[in-house]
Amino acid sequence: MKRILFIVVFAIAFLFTYGQRATVSNYWKSYEVQAEIGQPLDGSEILHGNVIPYKAATLIDEDEIGETWYDKQSNRAVANRVYRYTDGTMAGVWTYGINATGFDDRGAGYNYYDGNAWGEWATSRIETVKCGWPVYAPLGENGEIVVSHNASDALLINRRVEKGTGDWTETTIQGPPGFEKITWPRVITEGVDNNIVHVLGQIRDYPASGEMTLGYYRSMDGGETWDILNEEIPGTGPDDYSELGADSYTFAEPRNGVIAFFVANLWCDAFIMKST
């Protein structure tokens, strides 16, 4: 009996101690490691007497770029919501929503980093109607594109020619007749001026049957027109999977005209698809 009691007490003490270690102190958040920089070797030294030169950077460095009360930023996979340009500027989007609990103001929150500082926090969405799950990519010579879904009948495409400034131009993409609803988009751009736009989204008959497939969309002129619409990607439809799952896919960074995406969900096979 005493032995059993001791084991129980020890287990409780272990769990308590383990739980306490979950909190990272401010000391460790800003901890730096430094070492003396050794002289260059000429081949005659005894190696164990030399110090490896290094200096570790501060472990955490962050900026708050916006706010939201809408907690469900993703269902599964991480979306492309932040982009860093070669000139050092950056932009980021997220699902913005302050008016709980209905969130009639929900949509894409946006902020831009001009190379020195982030802008003022967003106080409204980009889109003209309630949306969510925005994704971001560069567009054209110096512009940007944000794609969101309104969970009703379309994807919303917002574009502007100068990143960080100016008015947005909004257009929509709908699914095929009877399956107009497209959700959880992903977007990448490529080409000499980032004018080739690739979009993935789920086409679904919901809630009638719950059947869904991955739809592919392509624009060769920066989103002005779409030469490929509602292209069902073979092997991703209801004949292959009962449910791919919301946000269960993500694009790879395009390289030299080759694009690829990855799909992974708890109850289906993981797979990669690539196109030249």
Side-chain angles (χ1 to χ4, degrees):
M1 182 64 182
K2 291 181 179 179
R3 181 176 297 175
I4 295 175
L5 179 61
F6 174 77
I7 292 173
V8 172
V9 172
F10 179 81
I12 294 174
F14 174 80
L15 291 174
F16 178 80
T17 304
Y18 182 80
Q20 294 300 308
R21 288 204 301 266
T23 301
V24 180
S25 70
N26 290 330
Y27 170 78
W28 289 110
K29 288 181 179 179
S30 59
Y31 183 70
E32 289 189 353
V33 178
Q34 298 186 32
E36 179 183 354
I37 299 177
Q39 296 298 318
L41 306 181
D42 62 13
S44 63
E45 294 85 359
I46 300 175
L47 293 181
H48 69 260
N50 290 278
V51 179
I52 299 174
Y54 69 92
K55 178 179 178 181
T58 302
L59 299 182
I60 294 179
D61 184 14
E62 63 184 30
D63 288 313
E64 294 179 348
I65 68 171
E67 64 177 341
T68 183
W69 282 80
Y70 194 81
D71 293 336
K72 194 174 185 180
Q73 293 294 314
S74 177
N75 293 278
R76 289 174 179 84
V78 175
N80 45 317
R81 289 180 173 166
V82 178
Y83 189 88
R84 184 181 186 275
Y85 292 86
T86 55
D87 62 4
T89 61
M90 293 183 285
V93 295
W94 64 95
T95 301
Y96 170 90
I98 302 297
N99 298 340
T101 57
F103 293 103
D104 57 353
D105 62 334
R106 195 184 73 186
Y110 171 92
N111 205 341
Y112 177 73
Y113 179 79
D114 64 5
N116 296 300
W118 289 92
E120 297 293 327
W121 287 9
T123 57
S124 62
R125 64 186 175 224
I126 290 175
E127 304 89 354
T128 58
V129 298
K130 181 179 178 180
C131 285
W133 284 264
V135 285
Y136 180 93
L139 184 69
E141 293 184 2
N142 201 46
E144 53 193 350
I145 182 172
V146 176
V147 183
S148 315
H149 82 234
N150 66 3
S152 176
D153 61 357
L155 293 180
L156 272 76
I157 315 295
N158 274 274
R159 299 168 294 144
R160 59 184 179 183
V161 295
E162 291 293 330
K163 56 185 171 65
T165 186
D167 295 329
W168 296 91
T169 298
E170 187 172 276
T171 56
T172 60
I173 296 178
Q174 286 189 320
F179 296 84
E180 286 84 1
K181 180 179 177 181
I182 314 171
T183 50
W184 299 294
R186 298 292 188 265
V187 63
I188 53 173
T189 56
E190 51 141 349
V192 176
D193 292 325
N194 290 316
N195 272 325
I196 304 175
V197 184
H198 305 275
V199 174
L200 283 177
Q202 279 196 1
I203 304 171
R204 54 192 300 164
D205 177 19
Y206 180 82
S209 70
E211 291 186 350
M212 62 190 70
T213 185
L214 272 183
Y216 170 71
Y217 307 82
R218 187 181 71 183
S219 172
M220 301 295 289
D221 55 10
E224 291 291 334
T225 61
W226 298 86
D227 65 325
I228 299 179
L229 281 170
N230 301 314
E231 177 81 12
E232 180 181 324
I233 298 177
T236 68
D239 293 336
D240 304 282
Y241 296 98
S242 59
E243 180 185 8
L244 288 178
D247 284 326
S248 61
Y249 41 90
T250 188
F251 267 124
E253 181 182 351
R255 296 288 180 88
N256 300 321
V258 177
I259 64 171
F261 64 89
F262 175 65
V263 178
N265 191 19
L266 185 60
W267 303 114
C268 74
D269 298 331
F271 58 90
I272 295 173
M273 287 194 170
K274 182 178 74 170
S275 172
T276 56

